[in-house]
């Protein structure tokens, strides 16, 4: 009889994890809003993981945790900004669009209380080179901000900006409110993505920003439109100055993922931030969690060229509990353009990645390339 009980205990200890246990284990590892849709031979795992830029790395991390804990096939459904993106089949990284049943499951089980309160450390860096009397001018702030989800797909992002060095402009070195906004993201129909922001942005802009993108994530092609109405604002210790919302921009683009080396070509045209009309061409190479790009642009304000890069900051998570997390930014992005006189084809950063930069990470061909399948 004793041997029988020992066998029962061993079998129970080796039994596959339940959906609830999977959710609990992933949450302890930093995953948020974990929901598990259990089917006859498949587990579909919804989750958001904000430390990594690429969903591949979060899916890989989850897979390593669960590889021996379930007998069912795993399908990952990563979320961005509290919205599910699509299905990635574990082991093949094949992408499939969301079904109506999956959307209904998400709507019924989505939990805003399943997110930690994140504090994010994010550097803010601007530079100008070659000025005769001061050839290396920089403006460097450290931003400590947070994002709070208010409703499905809707968040408030705000924080504090702490100046470290500034010999670029006349702004003082007193701490000030960081760019703060209400941001909404959704995928109302498969492959169609919308993002809207209202508030203050980087490059001393405030106003309204709207983005739309048609991006089938199993395709080489995607198309987008960005538009907005912004004005200039300026903050110093004890003072605030703003101008009218008078800068309208509208830029359309098309992207094509080339057949080799994770290269993407992007062509943009329209009216840019300061009213100059023209076009810009980008060539972007993705190296895992790092993007490096070159660009050239020509508008009626002149011609320019430059480079950009984006990567996750080390060390990632610094401190984590069930309710709180302190981490470095999942994306630090910096762009430099050379201009003789007026700014050419200029834009501004929002404080979170733009749709094209986000969705490029979710493209099936890129995800498979990281696992050596493409």
């Amino acid at each position: 009889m004793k041997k029988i009980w020992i066998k029962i205990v061993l079998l129970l200890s080796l039994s596959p994890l339940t959906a609830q246990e999977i959710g609990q284990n992933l949450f302890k590892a930093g995953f948020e809003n974990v929901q598990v849709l259990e089917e006859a031979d498949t587990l579909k795992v919804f989750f958001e993981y904000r430390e990594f830029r690429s969903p591949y790395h979060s899916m890989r991390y989850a897979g390593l945790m669960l590889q021996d804990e379930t007998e069912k096939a795993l399908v990952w459904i990563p979320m961005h900004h509290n919205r599910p993106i699509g299905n990635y089949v574990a082991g093949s990284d094949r992408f499939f669009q969301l079904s109506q049943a999956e959307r209904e499951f998400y709507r019924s089980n989505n939990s805003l209380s399943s997110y930690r309160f994140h504090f994010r450390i994010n550097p803010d860096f601007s530079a100008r080179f070659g000025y005769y009397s001061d050839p290396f001018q920089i403006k460097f702030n450290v931003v400590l901000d947070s994002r709070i989800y208010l409703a499905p797909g809707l968040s408030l992002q705000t924080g504090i900006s702490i100046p470290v060095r500034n010999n670029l402009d006349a702004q003082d070195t007193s701490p000030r409110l960081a760019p703060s906004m209400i941001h909404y993201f959704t995928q109302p129909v498969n492959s169609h993505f919308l993002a809207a922001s209202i508030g203050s942005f980087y490059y001393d802009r405030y106003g309204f920003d709207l983005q739309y993108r048609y991006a089938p994530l199993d395709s080489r092609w995607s198309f987008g439109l960005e538009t907005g109405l912004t004005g200039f604002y300026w903050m110093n210790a004890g003072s605030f100055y703003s101008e009218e919302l008078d800068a309208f921009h509208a830029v359309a683009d098309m992207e094509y993922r080339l057949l080799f080396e994770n290269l993407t070509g992007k062509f943009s045209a329209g009216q840019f931030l300061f009213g100059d009309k023209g076009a810009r061409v980008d060539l972007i190479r993705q190296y895992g969690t790092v993007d490096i790009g070159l660009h050239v642009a020509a508008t009626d304000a002149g011609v320019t060229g430059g480079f950009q890069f984006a990567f996750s900051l080390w060390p990632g998570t610094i401190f984590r509990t069930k309710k709180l997390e302190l981490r470095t930014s999942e994306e630090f992005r910096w762009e430099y353009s050379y201009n003789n006189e007026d700014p050419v084809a200029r834009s501004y950063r929002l404080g979170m990645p733009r749709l094209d930069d986000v969705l490029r990470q979710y493209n099936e061909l890129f995800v498979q390339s990281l696992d050596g399948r493409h």
Side-chain angles (χ1 to χ4, degrees), residues 127-130 295 305-308 334-339:
R128 181 169 61 194
F129 307 111
H295 66 267
F307 62 89
Q308 63 170 305
W334 192 65
E335 178 176 305
Y336 180 79
S337 294
Y338 172 80
N339 297 107

Side-chain angles (χ1 to χ4, degrees), residues 301-302 339-344 346:
N339 297 107
N340 269 332
E341 296 178 359
D342 295 328
V344 175
R346 189 63 61 89

Side-chain angles (χ1 to χ4, degrees), residues 22-77:
I22 288 173
Q24 291 171 347
N25 288 352
L26 290 178
F27 183 79
K28 290 177 183 177
F31 293 78
E32 298 172 294
N33 200 7
V34 181
Q35 311 292 341
V36 182
L37 174 57
E38 192 166 3
E39 298 181 345
D41 56 355
T42 305
L43 290 177
K44 295 183 176 180
V45 183
F46 294 69
F47 67 85
E48 189 160 347
Y49 194 80
R50 293 190 269 178
E51 185 176 332
F52 298 147
R53 290 186 70 233
S54 169
Y56 167 80
H57 295 89
S58 57
M59 294 186 292
R60 180 69 171 164
Y61 183 25
L64 290 172
M65 292 185 60
L66 303 181
Q67 60 185 354
D68 298 322
E69 304 296 342
T70 178
E71 298 172 350
K72 295 186 177 183
L74 289 168
V75 174
W76 310 115
I77 305 181

Side-chain angles (χ1 to χ4, degrees), residues 267-315:
F267 175 78
S268 309
Q271 178 168 298
F272 293 91
L273 177 59
F274 293 109
D276 54 323
K277 300 178 178 65
R280 167 172 162 155
V281 176
D282 288 79
L283 186 64
I284 301 165
R285 171 75 190 275
Q286 292 173 267
Y287 297 87
T289 60
V290 179
D291 291 0
I292 298 177
L294 301 173
H295 66 267
V296 294
T299 72
D300 51 20
V303 177
T304 190
F307 62 89
Q308 63 170 305
F309 52 80
F311 57 90
S312 299
L313 289 180
W314 184 85

Side-chain angles (χ1 to χ4, degrees), residues 79-223:
M79 289 188 279
H80 171 74
H81 210 89
N82 190 240
R83 294 294 195 186
I85 299 297
N87 293 269
Y88 295 83
V89 179
S92 70
D93 299 318
R94 289 292 310 280
F95 172 83
F96 297 95
Q97 303 281 12
L98 293 166
S99 68
Q100 189 58 38
E102 290 161 352
R103 287 178 176 273
E104 289 295 335
F105 177 84
Y106 156 75
R107 279 192 286 267
S108 299
N109 294 276
N110 182 32
S111 174
L112 299 179
S113 63
S114 296
Y115 287 93
R116 293 176 175 88
F117 194 82
H118 280 231
F119 289 101
R120 185 181 67 158
I121 302 171
N122 186 27
D124 175 23
F125 180 78
S126 303
R128 181 169 61 194
F129 307 111
Y131 191 69
Y132 180 75
S133 62
D134 195 357
F136 186 55
Q137 297 172 292
I138 66 170
K139 184 176 182 179
F140 178 55
N141 304 321
V142 175
V143 175
L144 180 64
D145 64 11
S146 186
R147 181 186 307 156
I148 303 170
Y149 288 108
L150 306 174
L154 181 69
S155 72
L156 167 66
Q157 181 167 306
T158 189
I160 186 171
S161 179
I162 305 170
V164 177
R165 176 178 171 81
N166 183 16
N167 64 330
L168 179 64
D169 57 33
Q171 196 167 31
D172 65 26
T173 55
S174 300
R176 62 184 62 91
L177 185 69
S180 304
M181 76 205 75
I182 298 289
H183 183 79
Y184 180 69
F185 170 75
T186 188
Q187 183 186 187
V189 180
N190 284 330
S191 301
H192 295 265
F193 300 87
L194 286 168
S197 304
I198 184 168
S200 59
F201 313 128
Y202 287 85
Y203 202 56
D204 302 319
R205 310 305 297 181
Y206 80 99
F208 176 76
D209 185 271
L210 178 66
Q211 303 170 69
Y212 162 76
R213 191 152 205 92
Y214 172 66
L217 297 179
D218 54 357
S219 171
R220 296 187 181 275
W221 288 98
S222 70
F223 305 88

